[in-house]
Amino acid sequence: METARFAALVAATITTGLVSGLFYGFTVAVMPGLRACGDRTVVETMQRINVAILNGWFLLGYVGALVFSGLALALQLAGDAGGGATVPLAGAFAAYLLAVVLTARVNIPLNNALAQAGPVENVADPAAVRRAFEAPWVRANTWRTVLCAVAFGLLVWALVLHGQP
């Protein structure tokens, strides 16, 4: 049981860290870099990114972070001998779950609307498509970056507590 608990905690920390880093990269580099680009470039680039990101490696991290965090929490609760890492694990799971909900409620619908605009060369008003997408997507991404960073920090804390007698 102890090996499974530790393995789930390590897997949760790694996958959450990967997703947190991905969202952070968009927050500090990708979206600020695109801000200086023309409307058609932004629309086309984000359409292409939204297609490219749907792959097994992304899904392993994105879904894995939720599954492994939940598993680590469940195993902690099942074998809890005093609460050690329970609080940070519960906080990490909750923070990551909120990031997933935010993604499902805001980022994914915005990505879908961007895809529905069609090929950028056929978009009559790329500035309007960009306006509808960019600001709300960036705001939501900033929040999910913060939530994932909090989840990652809490998982690191849980790892430290796990290693203490």
Side-chain angles (χ1 to χ4, degrees), residues 108-157:
I108 291 173
L110 288 168
N111 292 347
N112 292 341
L114 198 62
Q116 290 171 356
V120 72
E121 60 273 4
N122 297 338
V123 174
D125 189 359
V129 172
R130 179 182 186 172
R131 270 192 312 275
F133 172 82
E134 189 173 28
W137 194 96
V138 167
R139 251 189 324 276
N141 188 66
T142 299
W143 278 108
R144 66 186 183 165
T145 300
V146 169
L147 288 166
C148 286
V150 166
F152 180 71
L154 289 168
L155 288 166
V156 170
W157 180 23

Side-chain angles (χ1 to χ4, degrees), residues 24-159:
Y24 179 74
F26 270 88
T27 298
V28 301
V30 175
M31 298 314 288
L34 286 175
R35 191 177 312 131
C37 295
D39 299 329
R40 288 191 189 280
T41 300
V42 171
V43 170
E44 180 178 21
T45 300
M46 288 307 297
Q47 284 176 335
R48 290 176 184 261
I49 288 171
N50 292 337
V51 170
I53 201 164
L54 296 177
N55 64 68
W57 290 110
F58 169 73
L59 293 174
L60 175 67
Y62 184 75
V63 175
L66 186 63
V67 169
F68 291 131
S69 294
L71 178 61
L73 178 58
L75 291 172
Q76 178 69 24
L77 291 170
D80 197 10
T86 302
V87 170
L89 275 171
F93 181 75
Y96 192 80
L97 181 60
L98 284 172
V100 169
V101 169
L102 180 62
T103 300
R105 303 272 320 241
V106 179
N107 295 89
I108 291 173
L110 288 168
N111 292 347
N112 292 341
L114 198 62
Q116 290 171 356
V120 72
E121 60 273 4
N122 297 338
V123 174
D125 189 359
V129 172
R130 179 182 186 172
R131 270 192 312 275
F133 172 82
E134 189 173 28
W137 194 96
V138 167
R139 251 189 324 276
N141 188 66
T142 299
W143 278 108
R144 66 186 183 165
T145 300
V146 169
L147 288 166
C148 286
V150 166
F152 180 71
L154 289 168
L155 288 166
V156 170
W157 180 23
L159 273 172

